[in-house]
Amino acid sequence: MIEDLVKIHDKFSVEIKLGFYARRKQPVSDFAVNTWIFIPNSLDINRGTYQKADFYRDLKSNIRLITPSYLLRDIADKEKPPFSLLENALQQLASDPSRTRTAEYEYHIRMFVSIVKSSLREEIQHILENGLDEDLDYLVDNFDNCINNIAANFRSLKRIINVPSISRELMNYYFFGDEFLSNLFEQHAFKLIDGLKKKGHLTGDIREKIMALIHAEINYKKEKGYQVVEKESPNRNRNLVFRLSLLKKYAENELFLNTNQRRDGVWIEQVYLSIAAGLSMVFATAVAFSFQQKYGNFTMPFFVALVVSYMLKDRIKELTRYYFAHKLGRRFFDHRTDISLSEHEIGWSKESMVFVPESKVPGEVLKIRDRSAILEADNRNNREKIILYRKLIRLNRQSLDECSLYPTSGMNDIIRFNVSNFIQKMDNPIVPLYSPGNNDEIETVKGEKMYYINLVLQFKNEDQLDYKRYRIVLNRKGINEIEKF
């Protein structure tokens, strides 16, 4: 199964999060994602102005394991994983602070806080989507109790490793996790208040309960010397933002997979290029032999034939190479990325990018693109440029199970696409419009000049064949919104 989430990452970047879920009883799972990018002709993005190197420079891909899924109430239970696994790792470290025990201790801290982060997000989403009036108080109480229990359980672990055998450096790993957890509780509590407020379900009692949780975490961080938000910060909380970023990278490092990228189809490409060189040489040699046999050596016709044959030989070679390269482009990909973790080969990913004519786009995709009548008429003269970005993924179920002690359902491919190259030839973002005002005075109204880039995604996995369409709304100031159809 393939899941997708498309959202704005920043003013000039789109984030496409693809989740690839491998079946547990299937040894190998194959996935395919085809993305057609429809670009307005006025942006002047084409084969000549936007090369493969430009596309891949704008593209950034982070491949990581899907965070193991646990209910928040199960995380709050001291007798169940993941807390029991973490506690056991700390007990073993205190008794034997070897390199192996240290690595396991740090691994379980990172996995625990990452799992908590994912569970908090899912719990809040559940409350906002399913929190009916009669269940809302219960769900918020459960959210509050679980956070308090998780915080108390994790903070009680300090006594296990507060022993002479544990160095300050090892203690810091625990403190990093503790600070990250406290930030998670505070941030997600704010998100819950904001979400309930937007839905009109934020009562006084609920606000008071959640704010009490927030104040408790802020006071705890001050007590421990952790950084907190300062309203009158002289440097606009610059140090805090930097530290939050470092803590996030540290905590989620265990989920990121090792990748080794290389060109795809290198050997077969060399074979085809050798064939092209051989064919051109056969032509040149055949011409030389035939003229030599008819006119003999050291004659003017033989000399002219040699020159012409070698001229044509180079052209035949280049044309044959071009033909094979075109054929290769259909069958092979630009890059192949081998994916591994802890010496386990999890699978591989392949990707390619190419401009395609509209005649090569499947009818189903054009139907989903759904141009309006005026756009269809304009497209006859100013045709949209279409980029096809292909991605092929293979995952090995046994390797996924062996690479982690936690249940792993698959991997996420988080793609960030920067649109800075697309805005260079855009018009001014503000267009003056005119309207009759009072006493028939002319009033000038500011209108927004927007451009629309359409994405049609096709997902293939076993019996799954799904299509999704998104539209990126942007101008010279950056991305305004992403619409889903």
Side-chain angles (χ1 to χ4, degrees):
M1 182 178 66
I2 305 174
E3 291 185 352
D4 70 297
L5 175 65
V6 180
K7 64 179 183 179
I8 298 174
H9 179 261
D10 56 55
K11 289 297 291 182
F12 298 98
S13 296
V14 178
E15 180 175 293
I16 304 173
K17 183 178 181 181
L18 301 174
F20 301 96
Y21 292 81
R23 288 183 57 181
R24 299 210 172 266
K25 295 183 179 180
Q26 186 166 311
V28 175
S29 296
D30 290 322
F31 309 88
V33 179
N34 296 317
T35 305
W36 288 268
I37 307 173
F38 294 83
I39 306 166
N41 182 67
S42 58
L43 298 186
D44 195 31
I45 299 294
N46 52 58
R47 286 187 179 90
T49 61
Y50 195 66
Q51 308 290 332
K52 284 181 182 285
D54 300 318
F55 178 81
Y56 287 115
R57 192 180 299 116
D58 291 336
L59 199 71
K60 180 182 179 183
S61 179
N62 290 318
I63 298 177
R64 50 174 287 180
L65 290 175
I66 294 175
T67 307
S69 180
Y70 289 89
L71 292 175
L72 200 63
R73 66 188 182 197
D74 290 335
I75 301 174
D77 190 335
K78 297 179 66 173
E79 305 301 323
K80 295 181 179 179
F83 184 83
S84 60
L85 294 174
L86 174 62
E87 184 178 27
N88 183 59
L90 267 69
Q91 293 281 9
Q92 294 183 358
L93 177 73
S95 301
D96 177 26
S98 62
R99 289 185 180 182
T100 301
R101 300 301 186 195
T102 298
E104 291 176 354
Y105 152 70
E106 190 174 14
Y107 166 76
H108 284 289
I109 285 180
R110 288 171 164 175
M111 289 298 296
F112 182 81
V113 297
S114 296
I115 290 170
V116 171
K117 179 182 177 181
S118 178
S119 298
L120 285 171
R121 182 179 64 247
E122 292 175 357
E123 188 75 17
I124 290 175
Q125 183 178 355
H126 175 74
I127 293 174
L128 297 178
E129 292 180 355
N130 303 286
L132 304 178
D133 292 340
E134 61 269 21
D135 295 330
L136 185 58
D137 289 335
Y138 164 76
L139 291 174
V140 172
D141 284 342
N142 180 70
F143 178 81
D144 180 65
N145 291 333
C146 287
I147 286 182
N148 288 326
N149 289 336
I150 293 171
N153 292 342
F154 187 87
R155 290 161 189 171
S156 69
L157 294 176
K158 179 184 174 184
R159 297 178 180 178
I160 297 176
I161 56 174
N162 191 12
V163 292
S165 59
I166 302 301
S167 66
R168 180 64 187 180
E169 180 183 0
L170 295 182
M171 284 293 294
N172 282 338
Y173 300 157
Y174 168 82
F175 290 132
F176 295 154
D178 185 43
E179 183 179 359
F180 185 68
L181 268 184
S182 186
N183 289 328
L184 286 179
F185 297 150
E186 179 190 352
Q187 293 165 5
H188 283 77
F190 277 123
K191 289 180 180 179
L192 180 57
I193 288 180
D194 185 59
L196 290 174
K197 183 178 179 180
K198 290 179 179 178
K199 287 184 172 290
H201 291 300
L202 185 62
T203 65
D205 290 341
I206 291 177
R207 175 189 286 274
E208 183 178 351
K209 183 182 295 292
I210 302 176
M211 287 304 301
L213 173 63
I214 292 173
H215 287 303
E217 289 304 318
I218 292 175
N219 292 333
Y220 176 78
K221 286 192 286 187
K222 289 180 178 179
E223 177 186 335
K224 295 297 181 181
Y226 303 150
Q227 294 185 30
V228 297
V229 177
E230 299 178 19
K231 294 182 181 179
E232 305 297 330
S233 172
N235 59 7
R236 298 185 180 182
N237 294 290
R238 182 186 306 159
N239 295 332
L240 173 60
V241 173
F242 179 69
R243 185 167 181 83
L244 290 175
S245 177
L246 288 180
L247 287 171
K248 181 177 182 294
K249 292 177 182 177
Y250 175 80
E252 297 180 355
N253 185 67
E254 291 295 340
L255 294 172
F256 283 94
L257 299 168
N258 302 320
T259 58
N260 179 30
Q261 188 180 90
R262 65 179 189 271
R263 286 183 59 194
D264 187 41
V266 175
W267 290 107
I268 193 66
E269 179 185 20
Q270 296 304 315
V271 171
Y272 280 139
L273 294 180
S274 299
I275 293 174
L279 290 174
S280 65
M281 192 62 189
V282 167
F283 170 79
T285 305
V287 171
F289 282 174
S290 61
F291 272 77
Q292 184 184 37
Q293 186 177 13
K294 184 173 182 179
Y295 296 102
N297 294 326
F298 308 111
T299 61
M300 183 56 68
F302 177 64
F303 174 76
V304 173
L306 281 179
V307 173
V308 173
S309 67
Y310 275 92
M311 291 170 56
L312 294 177
K313 176 181 77 72
D314 289 338
R315 293 304 88 211
I316 292 173
K317 180 179 177 181
E318 290 303 316
L319 288 173
T320 310
R321 289 179 62 179
Y322 178 81
Y323 173 80
F324 283 144
H326 182 67
K327 291 296 183 182
L328 278 172
R330 295 181 179 180
R331 296 182 54 191
F332 293 92
F333 291 75
D334 298 329
H335 306 123
R336 173 189 168 114
T337 302
D338 294 320
I339 305 168
S340 62
L341 181 66
S342 303
E343 300 182 354
H344 294 282
E345 297 292 334
I346 294 174
W348 48 256
S349 168
K350 296 181 180 182
E351 60 182 351
S352 71
M353 169 270 187
V354 65
F355 280 91
V356 294
E358 187 168 312
S359 60
K360 298 295 184 181
V361 179
E364 183 68 22
V365 173
L366 292 175
K367 182 179 178 181
I368 295 171
R369 164 65 184 90
D370 191 26
R371 295 192 188 99
S372 64
I374 184 64
L375 275 176
E376 196 65 59
D378 180 66
N379 193 58
R380 294 202 305 266
N381 301 316
N382 301 297
R383 289 193 174 277
E384 288 183 314
K385 299 302 182 290
I386 306 172
I387 292 176
L388 171 59
Y389 175 57
R390 297 186 297 155
K391 205 167 188 68
L392 196 62
I393 303 285
R394 172 168 291 180
L395 296 179
N396 185 292
R397 182 71 256 177
Q398 183 178 352
S399 296
L400 279 172
D401 294 335
E402 293 175 351
C403 73
S404 175
L405 295 174
Y406 299 87
T408 305
S409 54
M411 76 169 210
N412 285 326
D413 190 356
I414 304 171
I415 301 169
R416 292 177 187 170
F417 186 66
N418 189 285
V419 297
S420 298
N421 277 317
F422 290 66
I423 69 174
Q424 295 177 3
K425 297 183 180 180
M426 289 183 177
D427 294 335
N428 288 327
I430 301 298
V431 176
L433 303 173
Y434 303 98
S435 175
N438 296 329
N439 300 321
D440 289 335
E441 293 289 333
I442 298 176
E443 291 186 0
T444 303
V445 180
K446 293 182 178 180
E448 285 188 323
K449 173 73 172 180
M450 288 294 178
Y451 295 82
Y452 303 93
I453 297 175
N454 284 269
L455 307 179
V456 177
L457 289 83
Q458 179 194 64
F459 305 112
K460 293 181 179 179
N461 171 234
E462 296 179 358
D463 297 332
Q464 179 187 10
L465 179 59
D466 295 330
Y467 292 88
K468 299 283 184 68
R469 178 191 166 198
Y470 297 91
R471 188 166 72 171
I472 306 170
V473 183
L474 71 165
N475 58 19
R476 284 177 60 178
K477 292 183 178 180
I479 300 171
N480 183 268
E481 64 176 316
I482 296 179
E483 301 171 338
K484 182 179 180 181
F485 295 87

